[in-house]
């Protein structure tokens, strides 16, 4: 209970725009960067000198965000820029073209922020490929994007110290307080009648499973993969909540910039090492001190004494995106 309480009322952030290691010369992708946490993150990275790609499906919203960011933030570096990259995470056909566009312009990628997500859309909402909309947007799309970007991430990792290249996944407080015992239920994600709130929980646990699996896949090559709960925030992620629920949550919600601080710590903190791959980060940038034992066991194979359910989910995601990797 104490850890849950501390995520509602975190200690002050230790890494902000005031003491951020310089991102000058580095390249970033932020999915969903034109609103909420992603927008605040893009402001900080651009102002500090980074080259930032806002990845999303609305060119109009992205260009408006870029205009706002440049108007309020004078960058400290001549190499800084902020660029729109079209992709729609729920539509798997859009992701490979986006990656091809990116690698035609860039030879490196330092940090991938899998920041975008959707919560509680109308029941029965599905993606263009027929998947539950939250599963597609929160898990399948980010998984495909990450796998397609691995060559440029690996190339970048060869020239910098271990853990300098990172992939940041996005979880939620619901992982601690509401996740099913043992992790998630794939069967629920496949049923159109499943409560959207339940599927949101499943996908946020799924993000942790994907982060852990990626850490095992590329940790030895110097890439760090972690998941973070950005915090309880005032963002558009709650736009599908009922009015009553939004009113109940509002007094406990923080400005989106604080969520950006959680992401910054996950992306830049020197406390994080390759051995910390798969770790869960909580607001506003610190290790989760005591993750649920049943979730940790889910990320171990049966041979290791676990349940292997994380591997089952990751394999499912891999199967769903396989045709879009070629």
């Amino acid at each position: 209970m104490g850890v849950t309480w501390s995520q509602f009322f975190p200690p002050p952030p230790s890494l902000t725009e005031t003491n951020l290691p310089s991102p000058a010369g580095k390249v970033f992708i932020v999915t969903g960067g034109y609103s909420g946490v992603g927008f605040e993150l893009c402001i900080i990275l651009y102002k500090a000198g980074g080259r930032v790609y806002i990845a999303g499906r609305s060119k109009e919203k992205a260009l408006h965000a870029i205009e706002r960011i440049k108007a309020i933030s004078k960058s400290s570096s001549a190499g800084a820029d902020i660029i729109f990259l079209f992709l729609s995470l729920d539509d798997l056909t859009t992701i490979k073209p986006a990656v091809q566009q990116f690698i035609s312009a860039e030879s490196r990628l330092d940090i991938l922020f899998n920041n975008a997500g959707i919560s509680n859309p109308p029941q029965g909402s599905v993606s263009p490929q027929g998947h539950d909309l939250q599963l597609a947007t929160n898990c399948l799309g980010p998984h495909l994007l990450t796998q397609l970007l691995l060559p440029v991430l690996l190339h970048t990792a060869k020239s910098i110290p271990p853990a300098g290249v990172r992939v940041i996944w996005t979880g939620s407080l619901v992982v601690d307080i509401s996740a099913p015992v043992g992790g998630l239920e794939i069967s629920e994600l496949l049923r159109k009648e499943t409560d959207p709130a339940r599927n949101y929980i499943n996908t946020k646990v799924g993000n942790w499973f994907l982060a852990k699996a990626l850490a095992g896949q590329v940790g030895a090559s110097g890439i760090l993969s972690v998941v973070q709960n950005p915090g309880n925030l005032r963002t558009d992620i709650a736009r599908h909540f009922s009015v009553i629920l939004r009113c109940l949550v509002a007094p406990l919600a923080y400005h989106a910039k604080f969520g950006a601080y959680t992401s910054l710590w996950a992306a830049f903190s020197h406390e994080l090492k390759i051995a910390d791959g798969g770790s869960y980060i909580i607001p506003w940038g610190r290790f989760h001190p005591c993750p649920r034992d049943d979730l940790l066991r889910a990320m171990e194979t049966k041979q290791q004494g676990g349940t292997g359910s994380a591997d089952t989910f990751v394999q499912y995601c891999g199967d769903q995106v396989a045709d879009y990797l070629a």
Side-chain angles (χ1 to χ4, degrees):
M1 186 63 183
V3 174
T4 300
W5 182 262
S6 81
Q7 292 183 72
F8 276 113
F9 303 99
S14 61
L15 186 61
T16 71
E17 61 267 57
T18 63
N19 61 342
L20 179 70
S22 174
K26 295 184 177 181
V27 180
F28 308 88
I29 293 177
V30 181
T31 63
Y34 42 71
S35 66
V37 172
F39 179 72
E40 299 295 334
L41 190 58
C42 288
I43 291 175
I44 294 170
L45 293 172
Y46 170 72
K47 187 174 182 179
R51 186 171 173 84
V52 185
Y53 282 79
I54 292 181
R57 62 186 175 188
S58 174
K59 183 176 182 179
E60 180 182 1
K61 290 181 180 179
L63 294 181
H64 178 62
I66 291 170
E67 182 180 355
R68 288 175 60 201
I69 290 169
K70 290 187 174 181
I72 64 179
S73 305
K74 301 301 181 184
S75 178
S76 61
S77 171
D81 203 355
I82 188 158
I83 303 154
F84 172 59
L85 181 66
F86 172 76
L87 62 78
S88 185
L89 287 171
D90 67 320
D91 186 350
L92 301 178
T93 65
T94 71
I95 296 177
K96 189 170 185 178
V99 171
Q100 291 173 331
Q101 179 183 342
F102 175 81
I103 61 177
S104 70
E106 303 292 345
S107 60
R108 68 181 297 147
L109 175 59
D110 294 85
I111 312 287
L112 169 61
F113 292 95
N114 282 319
N115 164 77
I118 187 172
S119 174
N120 290 270
Q123 188 163 357
S125 297
V126 296
S127 74
Q129 284 75 47
H131 299 102
D132 171 83
L133 188 60
Q134 293 180 103
L135 171 63
T137 306
N138 298 349
C139 296
L140 299 182
H143 178 55
L144 176 59
L145 175 64
T146 303
Q147 292 298 313
L148 288 170
L149 286 169
L150 279 186
V152 68
L153 288 164
L154 289 165
H155 173 75
T156 309
K158 291 178 181 179
S159 61
I160 60 178
V165 173
R166 300 184 185 184
V167 178
I168 314 302
W169 303 79
T170 303
S172 169
L173 180 62
V174 300
V175 171
D176 273 308
I177 63 178
S178 304
V181 174
L184 58 78
E185 297 290 342
I186 293 180
S187 61
E188 293 179 349
L189 287 164
L190 304 183
R191 293 199 300 265
K192 292 183 180 179
E193 69 273 15
T194 301
D195 177 19
R198 177 75 168 188
N199 270 355
Y200 177 70
I201 296 166
N202 281 323
T203 62
K204 293 294 99 178
V205 177
N207 284 148
W208 191 2
F209 289 174
L210 290 167
K212 180 69 172 180
L214 183 66
Q217 181 183 0
V218 297
S221 299
I223 298 175
L224 178 65
S225 169
V226 297
V227 66
Q228 47 94 28
N229 163 29
N232 193 38
L233 309 165
R234 296 189 295 272
T235 70
D236 285 346
I237 194 74
R239 65 186 179 276
H240 294 298
F241 290 179
S242 68
V243 173
I244 293 175
L245 183 56
R246 289 201 300 269
C247 290
L248 289 173
V249 171
L252 300 175
Y254 297 79
H255 190 279
K257 180 178 283 190
F258 285 90
Y261 293 154
T262 310
S263 295
L264 285 178
W265 193 88
F268 288 96
S269 174
H270 295 304
E271 292 183 45
L272 285 161
K273 310 297 182 185
I274 285 295
D276 298 313
S279 291
Y280 204 100
I281 309 304
I282 59 176
W284 307 119
R286 49 201 169 111
F287 288 106
H288 195 309
C290 50
R292 279 173 41 179
D293 183 66
D294 64 305
L295 300 181
L296 294 176
R297 291 187 64 247
M299 290 182 281
E300 295 180 340
T301 65
K302 292 181 178 179
Q303 291 75 18
Q304 295 170 321
T307 66
S309 61
D311 283 348
T312 300
F313 177 73
V314 173
Q315 183 61 55
Y316 170 80
C317 292
D319 291 344
Q320 301 310 302
V321 306
D323 289 344
Y324 305 91
L325 282 167

